[in-house]
Amino acid sequence: MAKKNEPIILVTNDDGITAPGIRALIEAVHGKGRIVVVAPDSPQSGKGHAITIGVPLRLDPVDIFDGIEAWQCSGTPVDCVKLARDKILKGQVPTICLSGINHGANHSINIIYSGTMSAAMEAAIEGIPSAGFSYLDYSFDADFTICKEVVEDVADKMLTTDLPRGTLFNVNIPEVSREQFKGIKICRQANAKWVEEFDERRDPHGKKYYWLTGEFKNLDSGNDTDVWALENDYASLVPVQFDLTSYQLKEKLSKDWKL
């Protein structure tokens, strides 16, 4: 039974409700409020801010987190947040929303493609202070010990700070030992990109098909970026905004262009 004035912590991810990362996140915030989990029923990595509009969505309760209310959704990470607000919480506004812990990096430009961060962004659009967490270890049996400490630290700050509407954090955690880990550094997003190509192959029938391949290129030499922090054994925390307006260019065009 929920306690009066107890924080509501909405938890989601993009790796699916059975992924080890979401269990680690739940363990990190256990006891800090009423935890409500709504996550995809299968992996949804790379879906970005996609929503489901052409097929029905399924939402089913699951009992896999020792007494914590949890639901699996047939849709995308963003669908999960939307359904959580409308159908599970029935208009109650979560105190915070936490997404992850993702298996793999979501630093720099990766935020654009990330289902983990898009779920957190959707909550932030609704005015809920939100954070997405990603771990630079892709293995299914990754050790989330340091990750859980980072989640707990960030969640505590979020629950005890009067944050502005639309607050969104992108948190990435390096794969390092306890001795190597240097703590959390507040950063900016690095200027980086993927240099991509499609590997062309043929199936047994001789028809062509393609696999997307690529290499991540950091174009930023700054020592205040998320990529730099992770390379130097820090967890990176980047405050993110979903207003994509280029205000500097807007001002320049207002002066220079006669339209």
Side-chain angles (χ1 to χ4, degrees):
M1 184 175 178
K3 300 174 184 176
K4 188 177 181 181
N5 299 324
E6 183 180 32
I8 299 173
I9 303 172
L10 176 60
V11 170
T12 189
N13 75 347
D14 76 349
D15 286 324
I17 198 162
T18 60
I22 197 169
R23 181 175 293 276
L25 192 156
I26 292 165
E27 291 171 355
V29 296
H30 190 270
K32 297 183 184 298
R34 174 192 169 195
I35 299 172
V36 178
V37 182
V38 185
D41 60 9
S42 60
Q44 298 283 320
S45 294
K47 288 297 179 72
H49 216 93
I51 57 174
T52 301
I53 57 175
V55 296
L57 288 168
R58 308 290 181 183
L59 188 62
D60 299 302
V62 291
D63 184 13
I64 58 176
F65 298 120
D66 299 325
I68 290 176
E69 181 180 2
W71 301 75
Q72 63 180 15
C73 171
S74 62
T76 68
V78 172
D79 290 330
C80 291
V81 174
K82 288 180 177 291
L83 279 168
R85 281 290 316 274
D86 188 41
K87 298 302 179 186
I88 307 303
L89 295 171
K90 301 186 185 303
Q92 287 182 285
V93 180
T95 312
I96 60 174
C97 175
L98 306 178
S99 182
I101 302 168
N102 187 67
H103 292 258
N106 277 318
H107 56 15
S108 185
I109 197 65
N110 293 301
I111 189 175
I112 300 295
Y113 310 106
S114 166
T116 300
M117 284 305 300
S118 288
M121 185 176 292
E122 179 64 26
I125 290 170
E126 293 297 321
I128 306 160
S130 304
F133 297 87
S134 303
Y135 183 30
L136 275 64
D137 188 333
Y138 292 85
S139 61
F140 188 81
D141 58 351
D143 182 355
F144 287 94
T145 302
I146 293 175
C147 295
K148 289 195 283 188
E149 293 176 8
V150 171
V151 171
E152 184 174 8
D153 285 348
V154 173
D156 282 343
K157 289 287 193 298
M158 293 176 70
L159 288 168
T160 57
T161 305
D162 185 17
L163 295 169
R165 183 178 177 84
T167 292
L168 175 60
F169 299 132
N170 183 17
V171 183
N172 283 267
I173 302 145
E175 182 189 0
V176 293
S177 68
R178 158 75 54 213
E179 293 72 28
Q180 290 174 288
F181 184 57
K182 296 178 181 176
I184 304 171
K185 182 174 284 292
I186 297 173
C187 306
R188 64 176 174 87
Q189 179 179 312
N191 175 20
K193 62 172 292 188
W194 285 93
V195 178
E196 297 170 333
E197 62 181 29
F198 285 90
D199 185 14
E200 182 179 304
R201 304 179 187 181
R202 292 186 182 270
D203 66 19
H205 302 286
K207 293 185 177 181
K208 293 179 182 178
Y209 68 96
Y210 302 90
W211 279 107
L212 177 63
T213 64
E215 183 181 1
F216 184 74
K217 293 285 189 180
N218 182 20
L219 308 175
D220 200 320
S221 60
N223 62 3
D224 59 344
T225 72
D226 48 6
V227 172
W228 183 93
L230 292 160
E231 288 176 346
N232 287 273
D233 302 334
Y234 292 95
S236 63
L237 186 153
V238 177
V240 178
Q241 63 183 25
F242 43 81
D243 179 354
L244 301 182
T245 306
S246 173
Y247 287 98
Q248 187 175 16
L249 182 56
K250 174 181 174 291
E251 290 302 314
K252 177 175 174 55
L253 295 179
S254 296
K255 294 175 182 177
D256 296 348
W257 284 23
K258 307 301 181 184
L259 299 174

